[in-house]
């Protein structure tokens, strides 16, 4: 159905053209087709996980960089977990929670109440705790307690965002991950769940991005946000067919 209706196809094609300026139109069309196939599979996996959550941990056959999470947990510093709308982010959060990590995900409620109820039910079954994205104090409180706060860093943030390079162009980027890291001293740890096949995922955590709490806070926010964008770029270039290219990231 996704490949037939092609939701927001023009936006995705334009974004692919910006991110890969040397690519051909044929390549971009092929990539977009793979993106729709990926998210169709994601929907199937989501439904299975909703009904049989215990199966989820078995789908992550390879785990890389887990030591970064464990070090942050044992240190008591907590961590800002930075992810993008890449791979399967809902399974990523579920796997972390089922693996025993104290994860609080910052989310925005959907306008469609039925969809919101479905997603909320999934998160409850996974024991994934939620923080409303407008609640700016709760993430700080949880990080200071040594917990993890997961934040998507690849959304367009409009006038409220920080203008930072991303995939070769300047775009409005959420500064939340950087600000929370500076205020609490928690590292930013980029994470992703890449699909390798049907019900077959690899979890990856990248080296922590450490905040510097002394000096100019604005400069440090810009530095951390730039490094965060670079980490997400690395993920996207590894699996461009698994990123939600429909996001408007560039002005």
């Amino acid at each position: 159905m996704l490949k037939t209706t092609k939701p927001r196809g023009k936006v995705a094609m334009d974004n692919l053209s910006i991110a890969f300026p040397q690519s051909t139109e044929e390549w971009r069309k092929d990539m977009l087709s793979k993106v729709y196939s990926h998210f169709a599979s994601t929907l199937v996996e989501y439904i299975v996980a909703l009904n049989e959550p215990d199966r989820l941990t078995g789908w992550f056959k390879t785990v890389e960089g887990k030591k970064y999470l464990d070090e942050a947990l044992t240190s008591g510093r907590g961590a800002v977990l930075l992810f993008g709308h890449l791979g399967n982010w809902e399974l990523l959060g579920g796997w972390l929670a089922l693996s025993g990590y104290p994860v609080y995900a910052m989310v925005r409620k959907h306008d469609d109440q039925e969809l919101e109820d479905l997603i909320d039910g999934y998160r409850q079954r996974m024991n994934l705790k939620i923080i409303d994205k407008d609640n700016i104090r709760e993430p700080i409180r949880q990080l200071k307690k040594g917990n993890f706060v997961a934040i998507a860093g690849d959304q367009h943030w409009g006038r409220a965002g920080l203008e930072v390079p991303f995939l070769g162009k300047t775009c409005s980027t959420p500064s939340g991950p950087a600000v929370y890291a500076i205020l609490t001293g928690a590292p930013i740890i980029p994470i992703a769940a890449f699909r390798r096949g049907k019900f077959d995922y690899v979890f990856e955590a990248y080296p922590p991005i450490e905040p510097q709490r002394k000096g100019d806070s604005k400069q440090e926010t810009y530095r951390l946000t730039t490094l965060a964008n670079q980490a997400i770029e690395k993920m996207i270039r590894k699996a461009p067919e698994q990123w939600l290219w429909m996001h408007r990231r560039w002005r």
Side-chain angles (χ1 to χ4, degrees):
M1 182 179 70
L2 286 172
K3 294 177 72 173
T4 301
T5 59
K6 297 183 178 180
R8 303 191 70 189
K10 185 179 185 306
V11 174
M13 286 290 287
D14 289 344
N15 286 350
L16 280 165
S17 180
I18 292 171
F20 297 94
Q22 305 301 320
S23 65
T24 64
E25 184 176 1
E26 181 180 0
W27 180 87
R28 293 192 293 272
K29 287 182 178 179
D30 179 63
M31 181 57 59
L32 186 56
S33 179
K34 290 178 179 178
V35 168
Y36 289 130
S37 294
H38 165 71
F39 283 103
S41 298
T42 294
L43 178 60
V44 173
E45 292 163 347
Y46 177 82
I47 293 172
V48 174
L50 180 63
N51 292 301
E52 301 179 69
D54 291 341
R55 295 181 58 180
L56 176 57
T57 54
W59 297 349
F60 285 78
K61 298 178 174 62
T62 302
V63 178
E64 299 178 1
K66 184 175 180 291
K67 65 178 182 179
Y68 301 127
L69 301 182
D70 294 339
E71 289 170 357
L73 187 62
T74 56
S75 71
R77 297 170 62 198
V80 177
L81 303 183
L82 178 76
F83 68 96
H85 291 88
L86 176 85
N88 194 323
W89 57 92
E90 288 290 352
L91 291 190
L92 173 63
W95 180 82
L96 287 167
L98 290 174
S99 297
Y101 292 106
V103 183
Y104 290 75
M106 295 199 71
V107 302
R108 180 186 71 83
K109 290 188 176 181
H110 288 269
D111 296 330
D112 187 319
Q113 189 58 50
E114 289 187 4
L115 180 59
E116 174 64 24
D117 291 343
L118 178 66
I119 295 175
D120 186 59
Y122 164 82
R123 290 166 176 162
Q124 287 182 20
R125 296 202 69 181
M126 297 297 169
N127 198 31
L128 181 62
K129 300 175 180 63
I130 300 301
I131 301 174
D132 188 278
K133 76 175 187 67
D134 294 325
N135 188 339
I136 61 176
R137 294 184 179 181
E138 187 62 16
I140 297 173
R141 192 171 76 89
Q142 294 303 332
L143 289 169
K144 287 184 175 181
K145 290 172 63 176
N147 294 323
F148 294 164
V149 175
I151 307 175
D154 62 341
Q155 294 174 305
H156 182 67
W157 221 243
R159 295 181 179 179
L162 194 63
E163 294 293 329
V164 177
F166 182 74
L167 291 172
K169 297 286 184 178
T170 299
C171 68
S172 176
T173 305
S175 60
V179 172
Y180 292 136
I182 294 170
L183 290 175
T184 65
I188 299 173
I189 303 179
I191 58 173
F194 295 106
R195 174 186 285 108
R196 296 187 303 188
K198 293 181 179 179
F199 305 105
D200 183 0
Y201 276 85
V202 55
F203 168 85
E204 290 190 10
Y206 296 80
I209 302 171
E210 294 287 350
Q212 298 175 3
R213 303 181 71 181
K214 296 181 180 180
D216 188 298
S217 61
K218 289 185 178 180
Q219 290 183 1
E220 180 62 1
T221 300
Y222 185 88
R223 183 185 75 88
L224 290 176
T225 304
T226 299
L227 292 175
N229 268 5
Q230 290 173 358
I232 294 178
E233 285 180 3
K234 183 177 180 180
M235 301 177 197
I236 292 171
R237 295 195 184 282
K238 181 173 182 176
E241 76 285 356
Q242 295 186 32
W243 190 53
L244 193 62
W245 286 96
M246 297 73 178
H247 277 303
R248 294 185 182 273
R249 277 292 309 232
W250 300 275
R251 291 192 186 280

